[in-house]
């Protein structure tokens, strides 16, 4: 029982891997040193970040309240042939206009920095990392003058057409990492009981909006990667605020709604293959599925090995994509930009820990130049396949 009590309160990360990594790093010759050094480099970079606020933007949301998050749909462009400046969709082509004066990038930075700083504090015990994480979160979530209202009503709006859309919720997917980062701050004098109380209250308010509002329910109903990332976000937040029954029910529904409905018996994901970036979005959805499967550990639901009668499964989807880690193998669907094969390789290293006897995955990994794996910080908190695990 004492060992269990010592486990960090995380959901997307593996608490057992964290504990084992921390013990390993006590040895100066630890094989995890390169990963640790990369993590600390990233954390030191985060120390220099000026805390941002949702109120920093110049534009004012439709509500008139700068405390509301706002972003613009990235794949919509002004139609130069339209006299009224109507926006039209160009899938996969990111409009640089959408990144200007938007809350999306700042929100993502808050989530990433909190995760990185939380890990650095956990492994070093140095208060500077916890103090910076606390400062960043107080500015974004707590301080009355700078806090974000707990909603994304105005995410991915289309100028002149709609103020906000369910798809905008994809911009908050980093919350799954943020709550893990917060969990790793436990024991720090810089992250107080009051901070924890305020964070829990903000997440609870946002979770209520996420699971009851038309925007939230619209994203919940999405049948592609947006729906999968909605589940990932909702489940991780539910676990953080102690809504274990909600998390378990959502994960059980994901067996059919996400895996059975999105994945074909041969592993293809048709809703992603219809995109102009079909490789990228297939991989994107697979990341969300794997994230959900990882969360299942904390809720007692096994998505890793769920399979329908006709063979639809997360493993089959991985098997379908695995051979394409070899850049010489041509992807047979539209992909208008260079695919990220390293991202697929990293994913295979993670999945190979769950399916060590899957020859398709193991053979594919032989084509993956895993030159950067030794220094990948994921080794410190996610179970990877051999030879990169400590097991």
């Amino acid at each position: 029982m004492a060992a269990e009590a010592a486990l960090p309160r995380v959901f997307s990360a593996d608490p057992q891997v964290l504990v084992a990594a921390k013990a390993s790093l006590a040895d100066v010759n630890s094989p995890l040193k390169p990963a640790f050094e990369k993590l600390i480099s990233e954390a030191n970079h985060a120390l220099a970040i000026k805390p941002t606020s949702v109120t920093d933007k110049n534009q004012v949301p439709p509500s008139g309240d700068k405390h509301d998050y706002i972003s613009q749909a990235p794949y919509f462009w002004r139609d130069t042939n339209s006299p009224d400046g109507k926006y039209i969709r160009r899938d996969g082509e990111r409009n640089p206009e959408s990144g200007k004066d938007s809350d999306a990038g700042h929100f993502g930075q808050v989530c990433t920095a909190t995760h990185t700083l939380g890990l650095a504090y956990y492994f070093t015990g140095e208060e500077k990392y916890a103090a910076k994480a606390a400062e960043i979160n107080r500015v974004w979530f707590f301080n009355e003058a700078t806090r974000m209202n707990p909603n994304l009503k105005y995410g991915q709006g289309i100028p002149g057409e709609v103020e906000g859309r369910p798809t905008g919720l994809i911009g908050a997917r980093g919350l799954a990492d943020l709550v893990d980062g917060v969990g790793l701050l436990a024991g720090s004098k810089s992250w107080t009981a009051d901070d924890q109380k305020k964070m829990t209250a903000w997440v609870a308010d946002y979770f209520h909006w996420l699971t009851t509002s038309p925007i939230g329910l619209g994203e919940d109903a999405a049948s592609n990667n947006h729906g999968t990332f909605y589940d990932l976000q909702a489940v991780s937040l539910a676990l953080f605020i102690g809504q274990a029954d909600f998390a378990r029910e959502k994960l059980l529904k994901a067996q059919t709604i996400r895996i059975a409905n999105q994945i074909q018996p041969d592993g293809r994901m048709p809703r992603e293959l219809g995109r102009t970036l079909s490789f990228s979005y297939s991989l994107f959805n697979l990341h969300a599925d794997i994230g959900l499967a990882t969360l299942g550990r904390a809720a007692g639901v096994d998505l890793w090995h769920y399979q329908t009668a006709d063979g639809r499964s997360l493993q089959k989807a991985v098997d379908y994509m695995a051979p394409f880690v070899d850049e010489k193998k041509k992807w047979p669907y539209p992909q208008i930009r260079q695919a990220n094969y390293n991202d697929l390789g990293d994913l295979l290293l993670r999945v190979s820990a769950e399916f060590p006897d899957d020859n398709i995955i193991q053979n594919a990994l032989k084509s993956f130049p895993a030159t950067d794996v030794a220094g990948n910080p994921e080794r410190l908190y996610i179970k990877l396949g051999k030879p990169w695990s400590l097991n």
Side-chain angles (χ1 to χ4, degrees), residues 310-329:
D310 61 355
R312 300 163 191 257
S313 68
L314 191 158
Q315 183 179 6
K316 191 62 67 70
V318 175
D319 284 347
Y320 180 81
M321 293 202 71
F324 296 100
V325 75
D326 182 355
E327 297 185 36
K328 300 185 186 69
K329 187 173 177 62

Side-chain angles (χ1 to χ4, degrees), residues 28 43 87 100 113 185 202 253 255 264 276 278 298 319 322 324 333:
V28 294
Y87 278 66
K100 296 177 180 177
L185 298 177
W202 191 96
K253 287 181 178 178
Q255 293 176 337
Q264 293 294 297
T276 62
S278 59
D319 284 347
F324 296 100
Y333 298 95

Side-chain angles (χ1 to χ4, degrees), residues 62-264:
S63 62
D65 185 355
K66 276 195 173 186
H67 293 270
D68 282 328
Y69 170 105
I70 188 170
S71 66
Q72 183 174 319
Y75 295 154
F76 280 78
W77 296 69
R78 189 183 298 276
D79 183 1
T80 56
N81 296 318
S82 171
D84 57 359
K86 182 178 175 62
Y87 278 66
I88 57 174
R89 186 171 185 262
R90 289 158 53 177
D91 186 39
E93 300 179 42
R94 185 172 291 275
N95 185 349
E97 176 186 311
S98 68
K100 296 177 180 177
D101 201 27
S102 168
D103 288 318
H106 289 157
F107 195 10
Q109 184 186 67
V110 168
C111 295
T112 300
T114 301
H115 187 240
T116 299
L117 291 164
L119 285 165
Y121 171 72
Y122 175 77
F123 285 114
T124 68
E126 294 186 29
E127 282 293 329
K128 64 181 180 180
Y129 298 118
K132 189 66 178 185
E135 180 189 17
I136 288 171
N137 282 276
R138 287 171 189 149
V139 170
W140 190 270
F141 294 108
F142 307 158
N143 296 348
E144 287 300 320
T146 59
R147 71 189 297 269
M148 172 185 163
N149 290 333
N151 69 75
L152 262 75
K153 293 185 292 187
Y154 306 116
Q156 288 203 13
I158 303 172
E161 183 176 333
V162 62
E163 294 177 346
R165 303 184 299 149
T167 52
L169 283 174
I170 201 81
R173 65 187 183 277
L175 285 171
D177 283 335
L178 182 137
V179 296
D180 268 16
V182 168
L184 292 168
L185 298 177
S188 164
K189 65 181 182 183
S190 301
W191 183 255
T192 67
D194 186 57
D195 289 326
Q196 185 70 26
K197 180 180 178 181
K198 288 177 178 176
M199 176 59 77
T200 303
W202 191 96
V203 170
D205 288 344
Y206 175 76
F207 178 78
H208 175 76
W209 176 86
L210 180 71
T211 55
T212 61
S213 69
I215 289 280
L217 295 177
E219 192 76 335
D220 187 12
S223 59
N224 63 352
N225 66 83
H226 279 271
T228 317
F229 272 107
Y230 175 91
D231 284 0
L232 181 66
Q233 185 179 155
V235 170
S236 61
L237 299 184
L239 291 169
F240 180 75
I241 61 175
Q243 297 282 347
D245 289 343
F246 175 97
R248 178 174 174 79
E249 181 181 354
K250 199 68 175 162
L251 287 163
L252 287 170
K253 287 181 178 178
Q255 293 176 337
T256 52
I257 295 174
R258 307 306 174 199
I259 294 176
N261 288 351
Q262 292 181 356
I263 300 170
Q264 293 294 297

Side-chain angles (χ1 to χ4, degrees), residues 279 324-327 329 338-345 368:
F279 179 94
F324 296 100
V325 75
D326 182 355
E327 297 185 36
K329 187 173 177 62
Q338 178 67 31
N340 188 340
Y341 296 98
N342 283 338
D343 199 20
L344 175 56
F368 177 51

Side-chain angles (χ1 to χ4, degrees), residues 24-38 374 379:
S24 173
L25 288 168
D27 182 351
V28 294
N29 297 314
S30 170
L32 296 178
K33 283 292 184 183
F36 172 75
E37 290 168 359
K38 180 68 181 300
R379 296 181 65 204

